[in-house]
């Protein structure tokens, strides 16, 4: 099986899965957090080098306050666990997104996670928190414009490679495969620049019910695609 180098996932369906069980949405988010741990291990076992998950988008702030508060609490708990899991599994973790908008204690946990795992050589695991692709690109454009205004960058020097170096995903290869769970078929402002040539896979399986077997199924579909670039 040809395993993609980089898999990106939109983890959808936590709330709907919980509702189907007669449980509150936050129960689904908690179960979804457990699934993240299972899939990071599965990705590592399969030989995937990079895994990026969409944990909290810039649009998620518009959800009910109690749900956002529960998600932030869950995020704190998960990051603490992730620090231990990263050490145990030799996993390098990076957070992408505008983390300056997060609570100070979460920012401190993120810094600890990234610093403590920076030297690990196993799975490269990216977590998108307060991430939106349009926001990411606007932030990149502002930094480029500031450099240009300071005379440190000429407009003719701006190309795809330079622009990509200002994104949150700098030094991370573009995804080969994007998986979205729970039946929705849209990108939801996720890695729009990076997924210009990514294969897309949509499944009706909600995220809390997603398993290693479902991941393998997505990779098998990916293997059946005729990946061509530039009409070659």
């Amino acid at each position: 099986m040809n395993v993609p180098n980089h898999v990106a996932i939109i983890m959808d369906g936590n709330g709907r899965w919980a509702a189907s069980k007669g449980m509150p949405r936050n129960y689904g988010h908690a179960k979804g957090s457990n699934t993240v741990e299972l899939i990071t291990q599965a990705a590592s076992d399969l030989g995937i080098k990079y895994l990026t998950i969409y944990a909290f988008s810039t649009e998620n702030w518009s959800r009910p306050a109690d749900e956002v508060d529960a998600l932030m609490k869950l995020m704190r708990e998960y990051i603490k666990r992730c620090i231990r899991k990263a050490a145990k599994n030799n996993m390098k973790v990076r957070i992408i997104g505008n983390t300056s908008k997060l609570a100070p204690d979460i920012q401190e946990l993120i810094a600890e996670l990234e610093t403590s795992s920076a030297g690990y050589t196993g799975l490269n695991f990216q977590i998108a928190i307060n991430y939106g692709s349009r926001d990411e690109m606007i932030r990149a454009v502002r930094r480029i414009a500031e450099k240009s205004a300071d005379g440190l960058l000429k407009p003719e020097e701006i190309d795809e490679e330079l622009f990509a170096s200002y994104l949150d995903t700098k030094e991370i290869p573009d995804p080969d495969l994007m998986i979205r769970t729970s039946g929705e078929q849209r990108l939801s402002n996720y890695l729009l620049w990076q997924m210009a040539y990514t294969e897309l896979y949509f499944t009706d399986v909600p995220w809390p019910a997603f398993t290693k077997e479902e991941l393998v199924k997505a990779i098998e579909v990916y293997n059946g695609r005729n990946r061509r670039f530039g009409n070659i």
Side-chain angles (χ1 to χ4, degrees), residues 2-60:
N2 177 29
V3 177
N5 184 54
H6 184 177
V7 175
I9 302 178
I10 298 177
M11 309 177 296
D12 201 7
N14 290 340
R16 280 166 285 177
W17 178 85
S20 74
K21 305 291 184 183
M23 301 295 287
R25 289 179 62 85
N26 293 339
Y27 176 76
H29 293 313
K31 286 293 185 180
S33 178
N34 293 337
T35 301
V36 171
E37 295 189 12
L38 293 174
I39 295 304
T40 53
Q41 184 60 58
S44 180
D45 292 343
L46 290 167
I48 294 168
K49 301 300 183 185
Y50 293 83
L51 176 69
T52 304
I53 63 168
Y54 206 4
F56 191 89
S57 76
T58 50
E59 290 77 22
N60 285 156

Side-chain angles (χ1 to χ4, degrees), residues 11 43 63 67 77 80 97 100 123 126 151 176 185 219-220:
M11 309 177 296
R63 293 186 178 190
E67 183 176 356
E77 295 169 353
K80 291 174 184 176
S100 67
L123 177 70
Q126 294 72 234
D176 303 289
Q185 297 189 18
I219 293 172
E220 288 173 342

